[in-house]
Structures are given as C-alpha cells and as structure tokens.
Amino acid sequence: MKYSIFSLARAALSGHKNWPRTWRDAQPKSHYDVVIIGGGGHGLATAYFLAHKYGIRNVAVLEKGWIGSGNAGRNTTIVRSNYMLPGNTGFYELSMKLWERMEQDLNYNTMMSQRGIVNLYHSDAQRDAYARRGNVMRINGIDAELLDQAQVRKMMPFLNFDNARFPIQGGLLQRRAGTARHDAVVWGYAHAGDRLGVDIIQNCEVTGFTRDQNGKVTGVETSRGAIGAGKVGMAVAGNSSRVAAMAGMRLPIESHVLQAFVSEAIKPLIPGVLTFGAGHFYVSQSDKGGLVFGGDIDGYNSYAQRGNMPVMEDVCEGGMALMPMIGRVRLLRQWGGIMDMSMDGTPIIDRTPIDGLYLNAGWCYGGFKATPGSGLVFAHLIATDTPHEEAKRFRLDRFQRGAMIDEKGVGAQPNLH
Amino acid sequence: MRIACPFCGERENGEFTYLGDAKPKRPAMVAIDGGAGAPGEAEAFYDYVYLRDNFAGEMSEYWYHGGGCRSWLVIERNTLTHDIKSVRAAPGAGAAKAGAK
Ligand SMILES: Cc1cc2nc3c(=O)[nH]c(=O)nc-3n(C[C@H](O)[C@H](O)[C@H](O)COP(=O)(O)OP(=O)(O)OC[C@H]3O[C@@H](n4cnc5c(N)ncnc54)[C@H](O)[C@@H]3O)c2cc1C
Ligand SMILES: [Zn+2]
C-alpha cells in the first residue's frame, strides 16, 4: 500500500489495528532473473533499484534470518560523505544525495536527520589534515566547514576543551551529514521493492551455488530448496568470505567484530554526530534520548556477534576524555556485528571471475551510509554488466594492479583500517 | 576472552595484539632482489598479502603478548565462539629478525 496522510487518518479511525503488511511474505519461485543473497540494507536497496531504475522486476532477495538482522540493524546509523580519496569521494556523495530524497523515493519515513557531523582536531598537524580533507570535499561540491575552537564551543559547550593531553582546537563540520533510523531504512526498501514486485524471502539460507558445465552460476541451493537465477548478486557483508567459498572463491577480506553502545535516555544534549580526533570514539543522541556510541573494532577475526571487554574500556575512555560527564550516565545496551574488513578499507563492487556471480562486499564499519549508493551502483552493474561511473574504482582486481584505495594509509592489515 | 600465555599465565586479551591467520607463508620472491623472477611469483605474493581463508570455525593465529612477555604466540581459536583450544610459543619467533642481521 501507499502511505499518506489519508492512510494514516484512516488507520487512526480503527485504532491502528488494520494496517496491512509492509511487504508480502513471499514464497520462493523456481526461477528469477536476478537473485540477491542477503536481506540487509544493501541487498534490499539493490533489488529496489533493479526494479525501479533498470526495469528488472523478477527479483528475489534471500535472507537467512529476518531482514535487517545483520549489520543493517546493528550499526550506529551515521551518514556522511567526508571522504578524501578519488573513488570514495564521488561515491559517498552520490549516496548522500540519495539519502536526501530517500523518504520521498521510498514512500517511507526513514527518519533521515541531517544534524551534522563534527570531527574534532587536537593538534596543528591534525587541523592541517582536516583542512585538506575539507578542501577536497569542497572542490568536489560537497559541503565542509573548518571550525575553530570558539565555533565548536558555541555548538557543544559541554566538551572538555582543555584536556591536558588532547585539547580541542576545533573541528571539521559537514552540515549535511547526520543519522537515520537503520531499521526503517531496511523496511523502507522492503516496502518499496515489494510494491514493484520484488520477492523478499526470509528464513532462506543460501547453502551453495548451482553451475552449468561451463561453470556459469545458474542459481542457488537454499534451506528452502533450489532456486534458479539468471544472475546472482552477493550482498552478505560479514559473511562474504563464507558465501564466496561456496563458489570456490577466496576474497581480500577478513571478518571482524565491531561493538556499539547505547546509554539510558537523557535530555537533548548532543546536537549532531561528534567524533574524537585523538582516539577512536564517536557519539550521537537518538530521538529517544539515548547516547549511541562506538569506537574501534575488536581487532581479531570473528563471526561471533559479540565483542570483548578491552574495547568497551577503550571506547568508554575515549568518551570520558571528550566529555567527562558521560561517566554519570548508565550504559543500557551493548552488542556486536560482523564487519567485512577489506584489505584497503574500501568496498568491492564488481563482477567475479565466475560468470553470473556478482560481488558487493568489503564495507568495513562504514557501509550504512553507503546503503542507497551501493544499491544503485550494484543494480547498475548487475543490469548492464558494466561498472557504474561512481564505482569504477571499486574493482576486485585493484589489489593485483596496485590501485588500492586506502583512506587511512595502513596497508593490507584489515584490523587497522 | 582470556588468553593463557605459556609464559605469563592467564591474561585479559587487551594485553595481546592480533596479527592474523598463521597459515599464509611468505613465498620466495626472487624478483625483489633484482633477479628475473620465477613464473607465478607475483600471483603467489598477491595471494600471500591479500587473500584470506577468513575461516568460520577453528583457526590458527598469530598473537603478540605486548603487555606481558613480548612473545609471539600461535593460538588455536574458534572464530564462531571465541573459544581457545591451545596457546603455544610461535616456533622460531624472532628468527626472521635475527636472520636479517
Ligand atoms: C556496531 C556497528 C556500527 C556501525 N556503524 C556504522 C555507522 O555509524 N555508519 C555507517 O555507515 N556504517 C556503520 N556500520 C557498518 C554498516 O552497518 C554495514 O557496513 C552495512 O550494514 C553492511 O551492509 P548490509 O546492510 O547489507 O549488511 P547486513 O545487514 O549484515 O546484511 C547482510 C545479510 O546477509 C545475510 N546472509 C548472510 N549469509 C547468508 C546466506 N548464506 N544466505 C542468506 N542470507 C545470508 C545476513 O543474515 C544479513 O542479514 C556499523 C556496523 C556495526 C556492526
Ligand atoms: Zn606472555
């Protein structure tokens, strides 16, 4: 159904008890033009763009659990486009532009809130690095403002500006950045895709691929039987290596756990998203009032969706250094998700050496903001067999060619990205 | 997750640094030293540096006990559960450095 003020009023009259399902509970058909593995944000967005923009409507999204049960429902919901390297800059801005019209496009309230991000700097060298990043953004038509200490003080007077070791000198602000409701993004793409005919099939785990005598992928084996497909796209984030292994492929990816934390609800405090520049700590405040924060990945390979104490301690220390009064707030919840950490910290969106199999992976801890952009460029790739203009650097063979996109400059050590 | 170092006893994992899968072995690279380079060398190096099994289950890994005895360790650990099966000193730990003299 289409949501509007009228549907809301009508449902209100019957006490909101008669809302129809947001998407159909589809049963698997024997064959689809395109099968997408993984019902996270990226898989669902890909299916939506295939149907909406490329006219391919005989599409299924296969999800082993329920949609949004992976990283899409576990992240800290930060959306920004403040990347510096060619390849990333244009892609994340494409995604940002899609965020800005997502609610109208999908007919769904994803609670996109452009309340800005401030990356704090604590030294002259860091200020210069942020000035450079901001300049790169502005040259590319992306908004960026370098703030001095007084400007940051005005926005966030509660910060520990005079921290003896890491005094706050200022920050880099992107006003168009912000947060969105992660679950609603998943439900929004499911809702919009479903209206265009996409089958969303939950509790359907892909367990293998079917291939013809030339090795071309002809479909998938699943916990709900074999499903034929003209083309198969993988968008399984932290499980990319496991699914690729079913097709005999090894990837330049390691799976690592990242934790997130939510405090009890407090009155409005933090105006936007805030990041500490002298340690790894980022925080925003949800509409319910809880402080949502996180930091580094745990640093060891993991498929267990939970982390360990040392990183909790490290994250909380970062918070205390930045805004000591956070110590008075109680922690409410904490959880982990499995990141597909690539060898250069940048995603891979490409055809694979296997005919009919397409790869969307390597999102590290930053793929939520990429959701609409990733869906668009992956749909483009699957529909046209050519990379989208803004994703042509995200090739799988870039490691062999020496064309890495290493935003952090740490090399092939995924736990440092 | 706590790690029982063979030299220091059981310690919290924050004392340790993770390197990764212990399986990849550095291939010979003649080309680096100005030689002609054997066929397949570049591919072997690509495989060693970039590709990973990223195994879900029991895996052998290198960890470094920087907050303790500063030894390199080989740990057998299950990546699905974080259960640790064995911890031992990495054979020849430090040898690469000694040989480089
Ligand atoms: C704690 C945390 C904080 C984060 N914070 C941010 C942030 O602030 N900003 C940001 O931009 N990004 C953030 N991220 C990263 C972001 O969440 C991910 O990069 C992004 O969600 C990955 O894409 P996805 O939504 O498609 O993944 P997922 O939601 O993980 O989707 C993959 C799906 O594939 C399914 N699947 C796996 N194997 C199979 C199979 N064999 N068969 C069928 N289905 C299968 C899984 O069940 C899963 O639902 C964060 C991540 C975490 C964990
Ligand atoms: Zn030790």
Side-chain angles (χ1 to χ4, degrees), chain B:
Chain B
M1 195 160 76
R2 293 171 70 81
I3 296 173
C5 173
F7 307 111
C8 312
E10 193 180 277
R11 300 293 188 94
E12 60 121 350
N13 77 305
E15 289 188 4
F16 301 81
T17 308
Y18 184 76
L19 181 68
D21 193 346
K23 204 161 138 206
K25 293 277 172 285
R26 190 177 191 280
M29 182 60 130
V30 181
I32 278 185
D33 304 321
E41 247 181 32
E43 287 72 21
F45 238 81
Y46 162 66
D47 193 288
Y48 168 69
V49 177
Y50 294 109
L51 296 184
R52 294 288 179 271
D53 290 344
N54 195 16
F55 191 63
E58 222 160 75
M59 173 167 155
S60 263
E61 316 171 315
Y62 283 124
W63 289 75
Y64 178 65
H65 195 185
C69 61
R70 303 198 195 167
S71 300
W72 279 99
L73 306 171
V74 177
I75 299 184
E76 281 179 296
R77 195 181 59 99
N78 191 320
T79 56
L80 287 163
T81 60
H82 297 169
D83 289 342
I84 291 174
K85 193 166 142 199
S86 73
V87 184
R88 59 196 163 79
K97 221 174 164 189
K101 274 190 204 135

Side-chain angles (χ1 to χ4, degrees), chain A residues 38 40-42 63-64 71-72 75-76 78 206 365-369:
Chain A
H42 292 215
E63 166 54 47
K64 73 172 171 182
N71 296 337
N75 62 75
T76 44
I78 302 167
V206 170
Y365 43 79
F368 179 64
K369 70 177 86 70

